[in-house]
Amino acid sequence: MTDASRTSRKSEVIVLGAGIVGVSTALALQQRGHAVCLIDRKAPGRETSYGNAGIIQREAVRPYAFPRAWQAILRVAARRGNDVHYHVRALPSLVPALARYWRASAPQRYESTVQAYSALIRHCIDEHAPLIERAGAQDLIRKTGWIEAYRTASAFDEAARDAKTVAAAHELGYALLDGAALADAEPALQTALAGAIHWLDPWTVTDPGELVMRYAALFEREGGVILRGDADTLRASGSGWTVRTSAGDIDAEQAVIALGPWAAGLTRRLGYRLPLFVKRGYHRHYAVDAEAMPTKPLLDAENGILLAPMRQGLRLTTGAEFAHHDAPPTPVQSARAEMLAGDLVRLGAAVEPQPWMGARPCIADMRPVIGRAPHHANLWFHFGHGHQGLTLGPATARLLAELFDRDQTYVDPAPYDPRRFGA
Ligand SMILES: Cc1cc2nc3c(=O)[nH]c(=O)nc-3n(C[C@H](O)[C@H](O)[C@H](O)COP(=O)(O)OP(=O)(O)OC[C@H]3O[C@@H](n4cnc5c(N)ncnc54)[C@H](O)[C@@H]3O)c2cc1C
């Protein structure tokens, strides 16, 4: 990709960022006949899209709301659970976005977000499936769902009631497993748990970073161009945009910002004030014998730890850490996850010397930003997928591409419109 002859190339569209969202965007635009150049400072799928839990979450029709009950808020404030951690020094700068997040989580507003969000989520598998097929990535995919497990009977009973309601409202497949059925389904568990919800529709990925690489390879095979470059060099030129890359300056009529958690910096520089923040998360792999490996991802719901069987080992992922994106890692949740998971399964040695850290790109109203930039011609926003970027990348890329071509859209784009912030 360092072929200097490409310096003269004028693409029609530059996509900035080659995580799952950018790569899916590049593929969706390419399929509609556009000449696309995908630019990242790293290889595709090496950041947030590498380190997630690998679940294409068909069941995630309700994005994570800010807790509204005082008991829950106090529990988080006291850092009593392992699901949420925060840096005290980051709080003052996070307050405006968190206040909006809290307001957006009020019951009525949240319900309309659930309606909008579920309209996208319901397409997640259908939009991934053809890409998996064309990219030859079937070997990375399992179609056996994932397990939300509970240690206490009271928490399991409450979750089971909730699952029944949400499944009926959103046509989700699930099975309830009592303690014995769970032990049968997952013989690797060495502790008796109260029960679990087995979500049946989701697909899971045994190496999400590799999936993004395969999608990127498909994009290249079909004539797309991938270059190393710095999105921060984006500048208006004539009626279009220019970005500096390792192959020289690339010009294009249109540009899409798909920088995930890094979208905040570039959009701010362009004059936008969007309520973006990150929830950092960690993972670490452990060597586990075949018989001690869970057969599918398993969430220890009351402790906020997910055990995901991956090609690299058993990946333990953590919940949310509210901190500045670039503050040094504080993997306390990861350390606790290791301790708590060690009681569930026989964990071997850690594979990496340190936990990996990533940052979920979050928007205060829990809806990704998809559409034309309000104050710049030929600029598009596509970021803010929070906890479900792997799930939603191809589905929101289709929506972005339909908007790009001014076509009829397959879901209502209004809830995702960048103009909703008045920024
Ligand atoms: C612990 C954890 C578990 C998760 N589990 C799940 C899950 O099971 N299912 C799910 O759906 N989601 C999950 N997520 C969320 C999901 O990983 C993210 O929503 C998704 O990866 C975001 O994708 P993205 O393409 O927007 O961002 P990224 O993958 O971060 O991509 C952004 C790209 O921009 C590039 N970039 C940044 N700055 C520049 C620059 N200046 N110049 C050029 N390039 C630049 C980066 O190199 C990167 O490649 C999880 C997240 C975490 C942290």
Side-chain angles (χ1 to χ4, degrees), residues 51-366:
N52 55 62
I55 310 179
I56 301 175
Q57 285 189 267
R58 170 63 185 94
E59 88 300 337
V61 291
R62 298 180 298 188
Y64 281 96
F66 195 100
R68 302 283 297 180
W70 283 110
Q71 301 92 309
I73 295 173
L74 290 175
R75 183 177 153 277
V76 168
R79 295 193 271 206
R80 277 210 293 274
N82 197 41
D83 47 348
V84 181
H85 185 251
Y86 62 89
H87 288 182
V88 174
R89 62 190 170 282
L91 291 182
S93 62
L94 286 174
V95 162
L98 292 184
R100 283 175 90 153
Y101 184 18
W102 189 76
R103 285 198 300 274
S105 303
Q108 248 185 342
R109 293 181 65 186
Y110 182 64
E111 195 40 50
S112 75
T113 291
V114 170
Q115 292 313 320
Y117 205 68
S118 58
L120 275 173
I121 288 277
R122 68 183 307 117
H123 297 288
C124 65
I125 304 265
D126 291 346
E127 294 303 315
H128 265 286
L131 296 183
I132 291 165
E133 183 77 27
R134 286 166 55 212
Q138 296 90 337
D139 58 306
L140 304 174
I141 305 297
R142 291 182 182 159
K143 301 181 182 174
T144 49
W146 67 277
I147 286 186
E148 182 181 326
Y150 289 84
R151 292 186 184 236
T152 61
S154 57
F156 174 48
D157 292 345
E158 192 182 327
R161 279 194 298 276
D162 189 51
K164 187 175 175 193
T165 312
V166 74
H170 298 279
E171 300 170 84
L172 305 175
Y174 76 106
L176 290 183
L177 309 179
D178 62 15
L182 175 58
D184 272 357
E186 290 297 343
L189 284 175
Q190 48 182 15
T191 301
L193 301 181
I197 297 152
H198 180 186
W199 294 106
L200 301 169
D201 308 309
W203 290 3
T204 62
V205 186
T206 55
D207 189 342
E210 174 64 19
L211 182 71
V212 179
M213 298 273 258
R214 302 254 187 112
Y215 284 3
L218 168 67
F219 167 71
E220 276 191 307
R221 273 203 305 281
E222 308 225 329
V225 175
I226 303 181
L227 294 173
R228 296 289 174 98
D230 182 357
D232 289 330
T233 63
L234 181 76
R235 61 180 192 279
S237 61
S239 62
W241 297 95
T242 299
V243 180
R244 204 171 315 137
T245 75
S246 57
D249 282 358
I250 299 292
D251 301 316
E253 290 149 35
Q254 312 263 353
V256 183
I257 299 178
L259 293 168
W262 289 273
L266 182 55
T267 53
R268 201 178 309 118
R269 193 166 61 68
L270 292 167
Y272 296 92
R273 292 284 172 270
L274 302 170
L276 283 154
F277 62 100
V278 297
K279 292 185 195 169
R280 305 199 309 183
Y282 299 83
H283 85 220
R284 200 171 192 185
H285 295 105
Y286 295 83
V288 169
D289 299 336
E291 69 279 3
M293 186 66 105
T295 64
K296 52 185 80 67
L298 184 140
L299 177 70
D300 176 358
E302 284 150 284
N303 288 314
I305 320 161
L306 198 115
L307 292 76
M310 293 279 172
R311 299 207 301 183
Q312 300 96 322
L314 183 62
R315 178 178 288 189
L316 296 191
T317 68
T318 64
E321 182 180 65
F322 292 86
H324 289 135
H325 187 187
D326 53 2
T330 48
V332 290
Q333 289 160 295
S334 201
R336 278 194 227 134
E338 176 177 320
M339 204 179 66
L340 293 159
D343 149 50
L344 288 179
V345 293
R346 219 167 51 243
L347 280 186
V351 172
E352 302 91 357
Q354 297 297 330
W356 169 92
M357 185 186 79
R360 302 173 183 89
C362 297
I363 308 286
D365 65 2
M366 295 162 276

Side-chain angles (χ1 to χ4, degrees), residues 16-22 39-57 229-232 258-262 279-283 306 317-319 356 358-361 382-392:
L16 298 168
I20 183 65
V21 174
I39 296 174
D40 200 298
R41 59 187 174 199
K42 294 189 170 176
R46 291 300 92 195
E47 292 283 1
T48 332
S49 301
Y50 160 77
N52 55 62
I55 310 179
I56 301 175
Q57 285 189 267
D230 182 357
D232 289 330
L259 293 168
W262 289 273
K279 292 185 195 169
R280 305 199 309 183
Y282 299 83
H283 85 220
L306 198 115
T317 68
T318 64
W356 169 92
R360 302 173 183 89
H382 190 197
F383 47 77
H385 293 64
H387 290 255
Q388 272 92 38
L390 176 71
T391 301
L392 284 176

